[in-house]
Amino acid sequence: FSLVGLIGGNLGTLYAAVSTLTSSFAGNAIRKILPGANGVWIAVGDGGKLSRSVDDGVTWTALTSGLGAIALSGIGWDGNQTWMICGASGAIAKSTDNGATWTSLGAVTAITTDPLKGIALTGDGVVCAASTTGRIYRNTAYGVGAWTTNTANVGLTGYLDIVSDMKNVFVTVTLGVSSSYVSSRTSKDKGVTWVGSATLPLNDGTSYRSVATDFQGGWVIGGDKGYLAYSSDNASTWAQITSNFTASDTISAVGSDGLGNWIALGYVTSGGAAIQTISPPGPIAFSVRATPTGTVSANPVAMGVRSNGTIVVGNTGANAARSLPFYTFDKNTQFKVPLLPIYQGLKSYIKAKEAA
């Protein structure tokens, strides 16, 4: 039996440095961190750095991606054993053994040298990769075979992040270049067609930088000038969220544990001092809980949040920290079952027993 879904206390209130992740990046910026299942995490960054943890982010091991020393900025996971990473010059690599070994996809004809910023997967092998030139590349077989290109955003602005719900929905956020740009594009048919958002509150030439989902139809995006927006209808409409971020702050990463908690991470734009806010279960309302302390107290740009409450953050100086929630357990009120993505043809089962 495994104890699952145990929650209690406050997330993000205690951070400890993760020296093995820091050392594996050797001074290069940590750009993206993503948790998987069974304690596996993947992190990528500048200089082609790639690192993996198999003990829920406690210790990390540097890996070789096969992509050389190019900057890496995107991670995608299908909810099972397949991971993909991407970066500058159209580079994409794939792992089919839960991140243990990686192979470059080589020169993808449709992508050529387009700088890729993010990549996302569904549970049945659909892949979408987003570029800073405003293109979205799509493949239906885990990167094998032909890729198609959506150019609806070319000439307007580039993409800074892309996330999927591992089923049908993909959501992107964009780099702001003018007051006429589209802040986000959404696909609800596995990347075949895309629609620009008309309801995002930020449309003044600044950027949304990160997007996250709770896998239950909820989405949060964050960006420049302290802007946060929330959607409860699978990214069909958005509303601005009030938080403790100000117009002088940059929100660099957002995340969810899938149990109702939302986390936003950022920094004071002029000085880099870290800021973190958390919205607990219930109406979306962010309030200051804590900030990543120690070596990640400045310029944090990457964050991963797992359903058990583990948070791992990284910054531009290759510093990393890890936080766990405090578990004050009340079996009558504080046991929740985490959402497990269920794909076509599969069923999910949970075993649990009462804590001693």
Side-chain angles (χ1 to χ4, degrees), residues 10-17 244-245 249 263-268 272-278 287-300 303 311-313 320-324:
N10 294 330
L11 278 73
T13 55
L14 179 63
Y15 282 88
N244 293 86
F245 284 97
D249 304 325
I263 301 94
L265 179 71
Y267 54 89
V268 179
I275 307 168
Q276 172 188 285
T277 69
I278 297 178
S287 59
V288 171
R289 294 288 182 85
T291 59
T293 57
T295 57
V296 194
S297 60
N299 299 312
M303 176 179 68
I311 303 171
V312 178
V313 300
R322 177 179 180 268
S323 173
L324 282 175

Side-chain angles (χ1 to χ4, degrees), residues 6-345:
L6 177 63
I7 65 171
N10 294 330
L11 278 73
T13 55
L14 179 63
Y15 282 88
V18 185
S19 60
T20 50
L21 181 53
T22 296
S23 62
S24 69
F25 272 70
N28 291 276
I30 302 171
R31 297 294 180 185
K32 197 77 171 182
I33 302 171
L34 188 67
N38 301 317
V40 173
W41 290 66
I42 300 294
V44 298
D46 292 356
K49 298 301 180 182
L50 166 66
S51 193
R52 178 177 184 250
S53 172
V54 296
D55 56 8
D56 206 19
V58 177
T59 59
W60 295 73
T61 301
L63 301 175
T64 300
S65 68
L67 299 176
I70 65 168
L72 301 174
S73 56
I75 310 172
W77 177 52
D78 74 339
N80 192 14
Q81 294 287 310
T82 302
W83 295 74
M84 298 180 77
I85 59 175
C86 69
S89 302
I92 299 176
K94 180 171 71 172
S95 170
T96 58
D97 55 8
N98 211 11
T101 59
W102 295 79
T103 303
S104 169
L105 293 190
V108 179
T109 301
I111 301 175
T112 61
T113 60
D114 205 1
L116 300 176
K117 196 66 175 179
I119 192 166
L121 288 73
T122 64
D124 58 359
V126 174
V127 186
C128 286
S131 80
T132 57
T133 63
R135 294 172 172 85
I136 296 174
Y137 300 96
R138 181 178 184 267
N139 175 276
T140 59
Y142 286 108
V144 177
W147 291 70
T148 58
T149 307
N150 182 293
T151 59
N153 223 36
V154 172
L156 297 176
T157 186
Y159 297 104
L160 293 181
D161 197 10
I162 184 170
V163 171
S164 83
D165 66 354
M166 297 188 186
K167 297 175 183 177
N168 300 300
V169 180
F170 288 84
V171 177
T172 66
V173 288
T174 60
L175 172 69
V177 294
S178 73
S179 60
S180 61
Y181 83 109
V182 176
S183 303
S184 173
R185 289 187 183 276
T186 298
S187 172
K188 296 190 177 183
D189 55 8
K190 298 185 178 181
V192 177
T193 59
W194 295 81
V195 177
S197 171
T199 59
L200 280 172
L202 173 57
N203 190 28
D204 60 0
T206 54
S207 304
Y208 277 116
R209 299 184 176 275
S210 181
V211 56
T213 180
D214 62 3
F215 299 99
Q216 301 178 68
W219 295 78
V220 165
I221 60 177
D224 296 347
K225 298 183 179 180
Y227 275 101
L228 283 163
Y230 173 70
S231 172
S232 61
D233 55 9
N234 247 339
S236 294
T237 59
W238 299 85
Q240 186 174 343
I241 305 170
T242 301
S243 76
N244 293 86
F245 284 97
T246 73
S248 299
D249 304 325
T250 296
I251 298 173
S252 51
V254 291
S256 170
D257 65 357
L259 297 171
N261 295 289
W262 294 91
I263 301 94
L265 179 71
Y267 54 89
V268 179
T269 307
S270 60
I275 307 168
Q276 172 188 285
T277 69
I278 297 178
S279 178
I284 301 299
F286 283 85
S287 59
V288 171
R289 294 288 182 85
T291 59
T293 57
T295 57
V296 194
S297 60
N299 299 312
V301 293
M303 176 179 68
V305 184
R306 197 174 167 213
S307 60
N308 66 355
T310 302
I311 303 171
V312 178
V313 300
N315 74 356
T316 55
N319 299 303
R322 177 179 180 268
S323 173
L324 282 175
F326 296 137
Y327 292 111
T328 304
F329 181 61
D330 176 351
K331 68 179 182 181
N332 295 315
T333 62
Q334 291 186 302
F335 185 86
K336 290 190 178 182
V337 178
L339 179 72
L340 300 177
I342 301 176
Y343 311 116
Q344 290 181 340

